[in-house]
Amino acid sequence: QVQLVESGGGSVQAGGSLRLSCAASGYTNSHFCMGWFRQAPGKEREGVAVICTGAGATYYADSVKGRFTISQDNAKKTAYLQMNSLKPEDTAMYYCAAYKTGATWYKASNFRYWGQGTQVTVSL
């Protein structure tokens, strides 16, 4: 059973930075996609960024391109999301996801495993 544990959330002012980490355990094959989704109150869960090291591919939501960077350390079985130039609209619960089973990277239903989430709050 794959387990994902997020860390690194918190509260920052607009323009600040945070780095989220997602530590994975319970699997031997590291070549599957990992990603970050977020969900604000009253809104659907949306894809933020996904990395597929086996294919050498990364995907980003338009709203975070140029500000967020996703990376993965296969040796540590950990994915990261570096978030710079944060905006109040980035405020949400951020979830780590793993093992993409469908073609569309930004659909939450296409990921099999999920972390418990970490809160990111950006204030003016």
Side-chain angles (χ1 to χ4, degrees):
Q1 180 72 15
V2 175
Q3 292 185 323
L4 306 173
V5 179
E6 303 102 329
S7 61
S11 298
V12 295
Q13 290 189 323
S17 299
L18 284 173
R19 188 192 195 205
L20 305 184
S21 299
C22 174
S25 62
Y27 66 93
T28 56
N29 180 11
S30 61
H31 292 295
F32 55 72
C33 300
M34 295 184 71
W36 292 92
F37 287 70
R38 66 186 181 188
Q39 188 167 18
K43 294 188 176 182
E44 293 186 355
R45 191 169 298 190
E46 63 174 358
V48 176
V50 166
I51 183 167
C52 301
T53 56
T58 55
Y59 308 91
Y60 293 94
D62 288 343
S63 58
V64 306
K65 281 181 181 177
R67 300 188 298 123
F68 291 10
T69 302
I70 189 170
S71 61
Q72 185 174 350
D73 184 332
N74 287 333
K76 295 182 179 180
K77 296 183 179 179
T78 301
Y80 305 94
L81 185 68
Q82 178 67 42
M83 306 186 293
N84 298 329
S85 302
L86 283 161
K87 304 175 181 180
E89 50 264 44
D90 294 319
T91 295
M93 184 71 78
Y94 282 70
Y95 296 90
C96 178
Y99 205 88
K100 186 167 72 71
T101 58
T104 308
W105 72 268
Y106 52 82
K107 290 184 66 175
S109 58
N110 283 342
F111 283 81
R112 181 174 296 179
Y113 302 110
W114 292 88
Q116 79 288 351
T118 184
Q119 178 68 37
V120 171
T121 303
V122 184
S123 59
L124 288 170

